[in-house]
Amino acid sequence: VKFLSNCNQSCPTPLFTLDELSDSAAVFSCQIDYYGDPVFEYRISGDSYWMSMTPYQELYLGGLSQNTEYEARFATVCSYGDTSDWNTIRFRTPLRRQKRFYVSELGTPWNDARSWSTASSDLESTLVLAGQVHNLYGDTIELWVAIGEYHGNFVIPAGVFVYGGFLGDEGSDFDLSQRQLDIYHSVLNGDNMGRVLTQERSFDRRHLSLWDGFEIVNGYSDESGGGVLLLGNVTLRNSSVRYCTSEDH
């Protein structure tokens, strides 16, 4: 951020531009024609709380979440106490081209799921993100799920191969055939609140999906398929479906 001193001017709204944007960072610059104290704030769009930073000559904002809409605003507090109008920029971070995601009970919901050490604990949102990456780039995406019990009603995304049965420390070149599925159980639990796995539409052959190495339990549906509903071009392999009920059967 660059500042020019000109004490003969009133307190103007500063010029403010977004120069660079990645999936996790944004770079801004601005030029104001008045000597004063710059103020910079940002938030995820829709949040009520603004976070603030002290702007420097080039304003770097890191640690952003991918595929998220933000608002950033800039103003000047002039030497005699007046504050300029806010100059606000809204922007959305892009999706990262990531071919594998990691999920573990030991992670946190806000982790980026790029490795076991930064695994996400939120399987539902990671499935959505993996599906979006596939839709944008066309890559077949892998999602590795560590030992643990994951609660929810999961929608099957196209183009995503989901594997369970990991301890949670396997290397990126790990041979999937070496998983010990009888020891490391990845459990999908619907808590009898709905179907555990649902495919909302049939996929064509360019967008196959695979679920491999899961125990699917406690699903319920008032139609058919209390545990799993598959409509086309999805494979369920090395998995069991137990304690699931439906009104049709």
Side-chain angles (χ1 to χ4, degrees):
V1 181
K2 298 180 180 179
F3 307 101
L4 300 179
S5 298
N6 188 337
C7 294
N8 296 320
Q9 298 293 324
S10 61
C11 193
T13 300
L15 299 176
F16 182 42
T17 60
L18 174 61
D19 295 338
E20 298 178 32
L21 180 63
S22 71
D23 54 63
S24 61
V27 179
F28 302 91
S29 65
C30 76
Q31 185 177 37
I32 58 176
D33 294 320
Y34 191 81
Y35 179 78
D37 295 323
V39 181
F40 174 80
E41 298 179 340
Y42 71 99
R43 67 180 180 183
I44 295 176
S45 293
D47 284 0
S48 58
Y49 177 72
W50 290 87
M51 294 169 282
S52 61
M53 288 179 58
T54 300
Y56 295 96
Q57 200 162 29
E58 184 176 68
L59 185 55
Y60 175 85
L61 179 60
L64 304 179
S65 299
Q66 61 176 314
N67 195 34
T68 302
E69 185 174 283
Y70 287 88
E71 298 173 61
R73 64 184 188 181
F74 197 93
T76 304
V77 179
C78 297
S79 57
Y80 47 82
D82 284 355
T83 301
S84 71
D85 293 333
W86 289 100
N87 194 339
T88 301
I89 295 175
R90 292 176 176 85
F91 62 94
R92 176 175 289 274
T93 51
L95 276 171
R96 181 186 306 116
R97 190 167 190 171
Q98 180 174 331
K99 294 188 178 182
R100 181 181 296 153
F101 294 81
Y102 296 82
V103 171
S104 170
E105 281 188 326
L106 301 180
T108 62
W110 50 86
N111 278 354
D112 62 17
R114 300 181 73 174
S115 66
W116 287 124
S117 62
T118 61
S120 172
S121 61
D122 189 339
L123 177 57
E124 288 187 81
S125 64
T126 306
L127 284 168
V128 172
L129 184 60
Q132 291 173 338
V133 173
H134 168 76
N135 292 337
L136 180 61
Y137 296 109
D139 302 322
T140 296
I141 309 300
E142 289 188 359
L143 202 162
W144 289 12
V145 182
I147 180 176
E149 190 162 315
Y150 303 88
H151 297 261
N153 309 114
F154 305 101
V155 175
I156 298 172
V160 180
F161 284 23
V162 188
Y163 297 95
F166 296 93
L167 177 60
D169 62 356
E170 292 82 0
S172 60
D173 58 350
F174 178 75
D175 184 350
L176 293 173
S177 68
Q178 299 302 307
R179 288 173 297 158
Q180 300 182 65
L181 299 177
D182 56 335
I183 298 176
Y184 304 135
H185 300 270
S186 299
V187 181
L188 307 180
N189 191 335
D191 295 314
N192 295 308
M193 299 296 291
R195 187 181 290 120
V196 183
L197 271 182
T198 301
Q199 184 183 11
E200 295 183 328
R201 59 180 175 82
S202 178
F203 305 146
D204 66 38
R205 294 184 178 275
R206 297 170 300 168
H207 307 283
L208 303 178
S209 184
L210 169 70
W211 289 72
D212 184 328
F214 291 94
E215 295 181 19
I216 299 167
V217 301
N218 299 329
Y220 170 80
S221 174
D222 56 6
E223 301 175 347
S224 60
V228 179
L229 178 66
L230 305 182
L231 299 177
N233 288 319
V234 176
T235 300
L236 185 64
R237 188 172 67 191
N238 297 321
S239 300
S240 63
V241 181
R242 298 181 293 131
Y243 314 125
C244 298
T245 59
S246 64
E247 296 297 331
D248 282 2
H249 295 85

